[in-house]
Amino acid sequence: MHIMEGFLPLEHALGWSVASAPFLAYGLYAVRRDVQQHPERRMLLGVAAAFSFLLSALKLPSVTGSCSHPTGVGLGALLFGPWVMVPIAFVVLLFQALLLAHGGLTTLGANLFAMGIVGPFCAYAVFRLARALGLPLVAGVFLAACLGDLATYLMTSVQLAWAFPDPVGGFVGSLTKFGGIFALTQIPLAISEGLLTVLVMNALQRFNQEEMRGMHLLQPAKARA
């Protein structure tokens, strides 16, 4: 998913950076507010960041100029909400670009929009819908992590198709090609990420009961309403 350094045209790179900036600004406020209100959750915040960093660093070759890998953003989105994941994803992507040559600085805005904004917000929306429909917590976590991962790659496909439309099929033709190539590796990875996120969530509920107590995630939909 990480679009490599210098791959996007300058106007696209700048445009995605501008689009991501307001989300990042409010996300920083959300992190500060959450830490001030619940300082005991700092460790869980670190777990969410480490989970995303490790999973998204496991890259596989895919589309030219990009790659396939899990994203890990679903866990943090479910624990803290999607806004908190925006600055976490920014730090993850920045460190990966600087230390692992994974992604890039010029494409940081585009990568952040896909992995740090679209992915977490989709995961959170899917989870809330699953709980509103009465699905078990495990099913909601799995669907949220899996579909949040796939939404990230759909967004990356849109970004690449917009920057490099097909000479014959245009944007739609290019989107079909990028999305089809991503799907070969990403669908199995998304399913695996969903299963892993369920395992991690179960472990957190078992060993971090004090920190998890009171989180909206653990409350039934009727109780939240």
Side-chain angles (χ1 to χ4, degrees), residues 137 200-209 212 217-218:
L137 178 65
V200 173
M201 189 67 70
N202 287 340
L204 290 176
Q205 288 183 263
R206 181 178 178 184
F207 298 108
N208 298 83
Q209 294 182 6
M212 298 281 282
L217 176 77
L218 302 180

Side-chain angles (χ1 to χ4, degrees), residues 74-75 78 123 126-127 130-131 136-147 193-202 205 217:
L75 178 67
L78 300 188
V126 169
F127 179 78
R131 296 297 278 162
L137 178 65
V138 170
V141 171
F142 172 79
L143 290 173
C146 181
L147 295 180
E193 179 175 344
L195 294 173
L196 181 59
T197 304
V198 168
L199 293 176
V200 173
M201 189 67 70
N202 287 340
Q205 288 183 263
L217 176 77

Side-chain angles (χ1 to χ4, degrees), residues 26-198:
Y26 187 81
L28 290 170
Y29 164 75
V31 170
R32 183 175 57 191
R33 180 186 59 190
D34 192 270
V35 170
Q36 289 176 345
Q37 294 177 352
H38 306 284
E40 72 279 2
R41 296 180 184 172
R42 291 178 180 176
M43 188 185 73
L44 286 179
L45 199 63
V47 169
F51 186 72
S52 180
F53 182 88
L54 290 174
L55 287 194
S56 59
L58 304 174
K59 58 182 179 178
L60 297 174
S62 186
V63 173
T64 300
S66 187
C67 58
S68 283
H69 57 77
T71 64
V73 296
L75 178 67
L78 300 188
L79 290 175
F80 299 100
W83 287 106
V84 172
M85 281 308 297
V86 181
I88 289 179
F90 176 80
V91 173
V92 166
L93 290 166
L94 180 62
F95 272 74
Q96 288 176 344
L98 295 174
L99 302 179
L100 304 178
H102 188 21
L105 297 179
T106 61
T107 55
L108 185 58
N111 290 331
L112 177 61
F113 197 91
M115 191 176 107
I117 299 172
V118 172
F121 275 88
C122 177
Y124 187 74
V126 169
F127 179 78
R128 293 296 297 269
L129 177 61
R131 296 297 278 162
L133 293 175
L135 295 182
L137 178 65
V138 170
V141 171
F142 172 79
L143 290 173
C146 181
L147 295 180
D149 179 296
L150 293 177
T152 296
Y153 279 82
L154 177 59
M155 188 67 241
T156 300
S157 298
V158 169
Q159 292 171 328
L160 292 173
W162 193 3
F164 306 102
D166 185 82
V168 178
F171 171 79
V172 175
S174 184
L175 178 62
T176 302
K177 291 179 181 178
F178 283 123
I181 296 173
F182 271 136
L184 295 175
T185 53
Q186 204 55 40
I187 291 177
L189 286 175
I191 295 173
S192 301
E193 179 175 344
L195 294 173
L196 181 59
T197 304
V198 168

